[in-house]
Amino acid sequence: MTRRRRSSTATSTTETSTAVTATIRPTTGAVTIMEIDDSKYQLEDIDGVGKVTAQKLRDAGYTTVRDVAFASVRELAEVIGSEERAKTIILNAQRLLGIKPFMTALEYYQRRQAVRYISTGCRALDELLGGGIETRAITEFVGEFGAGKTQICHQLCVMVQLPPEKGGLAGKALYIDTEGTFRPERIMQIAKYRGLDPEEALKNIIYARAYNSDHQIMIVDEAKKIIRQENIRLIVVDSLVAHFRAEYPGRENLAARQQKLNQHISQLLKIADIYNVAVVVTNQVIAQPDVFFGNPLKPAGGNVVAHGCTYRIWLRKGKENIRIAKVFDSPYHPEKEVTFRITEEGIVD
Ligand code: GTP
Ligand code: MG
């Protein structure tokens, strides 16, 4: 099946002047951003960064050359005071790591080869998704209460731990819980069924409870520091929009809410890309009272979520434990529905 990337406008708007690309070494093929080795450098090695600036950067959470190389000019200007200087420092950091602004389509193709898939553990769902949950992308599960969004998130936190031959990425998961619905007991059940030691499976999930939207954004910022060292390959945000909706009610707050939500989604997309991790978010549906024909429900978060999320899957309840999944909003995916079941063992065919 043809896979496509929805436009990542969310990131590109904040990165107009600093194209984020990876370099290619002719002898070894594509060097993905994951493979860029910044371990032998420190911030002071960047041209134009002295002791004082380095300290300012560290205090603001930019601890590695890579953090600086992929920062947006605006973000960095907030730390060091001037946009002009921020731009220079970002370019110098990129140069230090051998990142160049342009690449050939072949190089881009090679870079795409680094994309990996996490099996959902359910063949029908994997097929619907074209192989599973993709890294370097945001996959959104939308649906009413009880549709199975949280259950899928739990399952994926286990699946990502499996070795590649069993559909995983032999990595850890970061679970950002905004609603307090994460259940370790459920992880243990699913892990057991998948042949993992339940306690080990729990150890490989890093949990963070987000108490409000600012906190949610802060957790993702902090996450940057541990993704590599902990080998995190999946980030779950359950749910993406709930705090934003609660904190910014009504039309008068809509613009502010959407702007902040956009910032959050950009942040997630950028992390997905830079660290080659999969990001999975859940989203609620809201009723559209003025719709008389067609679906009276729509995903929360409006255009910002619609544009920011790479793949969108709608979940519906069927009879008893049957659930129906469908990719929507994607001209490149078939208008196909698949079913799966929620059981004691997790999500199954
Ligand atoms: P909201 O967060 O409320 O919007 O819903 P959600 O889409 O996250 O729903 P969730 O994933 O929590 O799905 C809940 C459904 O999973 C319920 O219908 C439960 O019956 C089912 N479920 C949860 N745990 C188990 C279990 O251990 N066994 C079985 N058979 N079903 C379970
Ligand atoms: Mg839920």
Side-chain angles (χ1 to χ4, degrees):
M1 184 191 352
T2 322
R3 307 286 313 216
R4 71 151 186 161
R5 301 266 298 166
R6 293 164 63 88
S7 63
S8 41
T9 42
T11 31
S12 53
T13 49
T14 53
E15 287 168 351
T16 42
S17 53
T18 54
V20 175
T21 51
T23 48
I24 302 293
R25 274 189 228 114
T27 45
T28 53
V31 177
T32 71
I33 288 171
M34 270 303 273
E35 290 156 5
I36 289 172
D37 183 16
D38 67 351
S39 60
K40 54 180 187 279
Y41 300 116
Q42 47 181 3
L43 297 178
E44 285 84 349
D45 294 326
I46 306 170
D47 263 349
V49 175
K51 262 209 169 100
V52 176
T53 307
Q55 196 49 51
K56 273 190 204 165
L57 288 168
R58 286 195 184 97
D59 292 344
Y62 297 88
T63 55
T64 66
V65 176
R66 174 207 286 256
D67 291 338
V68 176
F70 295 116
S72 78
V73 174
R74 231 181 47 205
E75 274 170 18
L76 212 69
E78 274 175 29
V79 180
I80 58 175
S82 129
E83 287 219 352
E84 209 43 51
R85 199 156 162 244
K87 208 186 285 180
T88 310
I89 288 177
I90 289 169
L91 288 172
N92 289 345
Q94 293 184 351
R95 196 168 313 129
L96 187 62
L97 298 181
I99 298 162
K100 55 185 188 181
F102 300 107
M103 59 176 132
T104 66
L106 174 66
E107 288 165 345
Y108 182 73
Y109 170 76
Q110 285 165 335
R111 191 169 113 74
R112 287 283 304 157
Q113 300 300 298
V115 165
R116 294 284 174 272
Y117 297 92
I118 304 166
S119 167
T120 60
C122 165
R123 195 166 299 153
L125 260 185
D126 282 354
E127 252 166 50
L128 183 76
L129 290 162
I133 304 288
E134 193 175 298
T135 61
R136 287 214 166 120
I138 301 181
T139 303
E140 174 194 3
F141 288 95
V142 184
E144 313 174 61
F145 70 94
K149 304 181 293 292
T150 300
Q151 293 301 311
I152 289 182
C153 292
H154 279 66
Q155 171 111 347
L156 289 170
C157 286
V158 173
M159 294 304 296
V160 70
Q161 301 182 32
L162 295 175
E165 62 274 17
K166 288 187 174 167
L169 296 177
K172 294 186 188 176
L174 168 64
Y175 200 106
I176 303 173
D177 185 6
T178 75
E179 303 183 312
T181 51
F182 179 74
R183 295 286 172 273
E185 300 78 13
R186 193 70 181 119
I187 295 290
M188 292 168 88
Q189 281 179 329
I190 298 171
K192 221 178 194 170
Y193 178 67
R194 299 285 162 180
L196 292 176
D197 175 58
E199 208 163 300
E200 281 303 309
L202 288 179
K203 278 189 200 155
N204 289 329
I205 300 169
I206 295 159
Y207 175 82
R209 175 85 161 91
Y211 290 99
N212 56 55
S213 63
D214 285 325
H215 192 205
Q216 192 172 328
I217 290 172
M218 223 165 64
I219 289 169
V220 176
D221 265 335
E222 286 297 307
K224 282 190 276 194
K225 298 177 193 161
I226 59 164
I227 290 174
R228 274 196 115 185
Q229 120 207 6
E230 296 283 351
N231 189 28
I232 291 170
R233 300 308 302 277
L234 168 71
I235 298 176
V236 169
V237 186
D238 183 23
S239 96
L240 180 70
V241 188
H243 280 320
F244 293 85
R245 283 185 66 205
E247 290 164 31
Y248 297 83
R251 276 201 176 274
E252 65 276 23
N253 293 314
L254 191 62
R257 179 189 91 179
Q258 290 304 86
Q259 193 185 8
K260 204 147 164 225
L261 189 55
N262 194 17
Q263 181 199 340
H264 182 45
I265 295 171
S266 306
Q267 181 193 32
L268 288 168
L269 203 49
K270 192 159 147 184
I271 287 185
D273 195 40
I274 295 178
Y275 296 96
N276 197 12
V277 301
V279 173
V280 169
V281 303
T282 67
N283 194 5
Q284 303 144 311
V285 291
I286 48 178
Q288 311 180 80
D290 49 346
V291 168
F292 297 102
F293 302 101
N295 193 347
L297 299 172
K298 66 171 185 184
N303 283 340
V304 164
V305 176
H307 289 144
C309 292
T310 326
Y311 303 111
R312 317 188 79 190
I313 295 104
W314 194 291
L315 301 177
R316 263 175 25 238
K317 289 190 259 191
K319 272 189 196 148
E320 290 164 17
N321 63 350
I322 305 275
R323 297 292 184 275
I324 302 140
K326 182 180 175 175
V327 177
F328 69 104
D329 223 358
S330 163
Y332 292 88
H333 282 83
E335 279 277 307
K336 196 174 85 166
E337 289 189 339
V338 301
T339 59
F340 63 90
R341 288 178 302 132
I342 306 177
T343 69
E344 205 67 20
E345 289 78 31
I347 304 294
V348 296
D349 277 290

